[in-house]
Amino acid sequence: DGGITQSPKYLFRKEGQNVTLSCEQNLNHDAMYWYRQDPGQGLRLIYYSQIVNDFQKGDIAEGYSVSREKKESFPLTVTSAQKNPTAFYLCASSIVRGTSYTSTDTQYFGPGTRLTVL
Amino acid sequence: AQSVTQPDIHITVSEGASLELRCNYSYGATPYLFWYVQSPGQGLQLLLKYFSGDTLVQGIKGFEAEFKRSQSSFNLRKPSVHWSDAAEYFCAVARNDYKLSFGAGTTVTVRA
């Protein structure tokens, strides 16, 4: 089955520790995204990547880092610099057909990782 | 900047009754609009999308949405809700840089 997997589903970390969230897709999608979800705030974009070895900051990138070494993988590291890391993190992917959004396809989402920092 | 407003934070509806969720967007050009649904603790599932053409869009699970340019709206409807429709619903608009802007979401509670 094609889809997006995120692991782990629940993650607990002590304050001050870096933690890496996994996102893998086998949809052969070009673009991948990381969102943060907090109650009552919808989804906010952290980072996105349109092609391998390239990524851009989203709206709330401070305290986060990413890499895109393979097309199917887009891990997110929540660093100790992130002031309020406890949240639900969602990964998504989409096809990129051209150079404008009109050329991209719908974003499909993984099941999410709930990170709790103690 | 492109943005989305979902005026209703929480809606309660009886099973079998109709449902309408409101979405207003702010965007200068032709918007690309989406509705997603999220069950508790889960990812988002696409219900339907509007890119162009017919302004009444049919989606999965019996949902439909109507794009009204004059009102800058993209409201989601379902004629008869089922208990399994209890979830959080998000409207989103595609920005012109591969990104989506999401509304804050509307939580739907279905009572027996």
Side-chain angles (χ1 to χ4, degrees):
Chain A
D1 286 337
I4 303 173
T5 57
Q6 292 186 242
S7 60
K9 187 169 178 64
Y10 299 96
L11 191 55
F12 297 88
R13 279 296 180 267
K14 292 183 179 179
E15 194 171 343
Q17 290 182 334
N18 291 356
V19 60
T20 297
L21 283 59
S22 169
C23 177
E24 304 276 333
Q25 54 98 1
N26 61 4
L27 300 168
N28 199 31
H29 284 176
D30 306 289
M32 297 186 74
Y33 313 79
W34 273 106
Y35 292 89
R36 171 183 171 135
Q37 185 178 21
D38 297 283
Q41 294 194 43
L43 279 69
R44 293 181 289 168
L45 183 66
I46 304 173
Y47 268 98
Y48 65 105
S49 166
Q50 295 165 19
I51 57 173
V52 174
N53 293 322
D54 187 43
F55 48 83
Q56 288 79 42
K57 292 181 179 180
D59 302 317
I60 56 164
E62 186 175 350
Y64 299 97
S65 65
V66 293
S67 63
R68 186 86 187 276
E69 297 177 2
K70 298 186 296 183
K71 186 175 184 179
E72 56 271 19
S73 179
F74 191 42
L76 173 75
T77 296
V78 184
T79 75
S80 56
Q82 169 49 232
K83 296 281 191 284
N84 185 18
T86 294
F88 191 51
Y89 290 87
L90 288 158
C91 178
S93 70
S94 67
I95 297 171
V96 175
R97 304 183 194 275
T99 57
S100 68
Y101 190 88
T102 56
S103 302
T104 66
D105 211 324
T106 305
Q107 291 186 23
Y108 294 92
F109 285 79
T113 292
R114 183 165 299 281
L115 172 64
T116 302
V117 176
L118 306 171
Chain B
Q2 299 92 331
S3 65
V4 174
T5 301
Q6 293 181 246
D8 304 305
I9 297 173
H10 190 193
I11 287 180
T12 298
V13 61
S14 297
E15 192 169 14
S18 63
L19 174 67
E20 181 167 13
L21 303 182
R22 295 184 289 164
C23 173
N24 296 103
Y25 66 89
S26 170
Y27 189 55
T30 301
Y32 299 91
L33 296 158
F34 306 81
W35 274 102
Y36 287 89
V37 61
Q38 184 181 35
S39 298
Q42 302 297 315
L44 274 67
Q45 181 182 23
L46 178 71
L47 284 175
L48 47 80
K49 61 186 178 183
Y50 172 78
F51 275 21
S52 65
D54 194 346
T55 56
L56 186 62
V57 181
Q58 301 297 321
I60 62 170
K61 304 186 179 195
F63 284 92
E64 67 177 25
E66 186 171 13
F67 170 62
K68 292 186 177 180
R69 185 186 299 276
S70 61
Q71 298 177 18
S72 297
S73 69
F74 188 56
N75 295 349
L76 181 72
R77 300 193 293 253
K78 186 169 183 177
S80 176
V81 298
H82 186 262
W83 63 267
S84 59
D85 294 321
E88 191 161 18
Y89 292 79
F90 292 94
C91 182
V93 63
R95 291 147 57 167
N96 55 7
D97 53 1
Y98 298 97
K99 303 173 190 175
L100 292 179
S101 285
F102 284 85
T106 298
T107 299
V108 173
T109 298
V110 180
R111 59 183 174 216

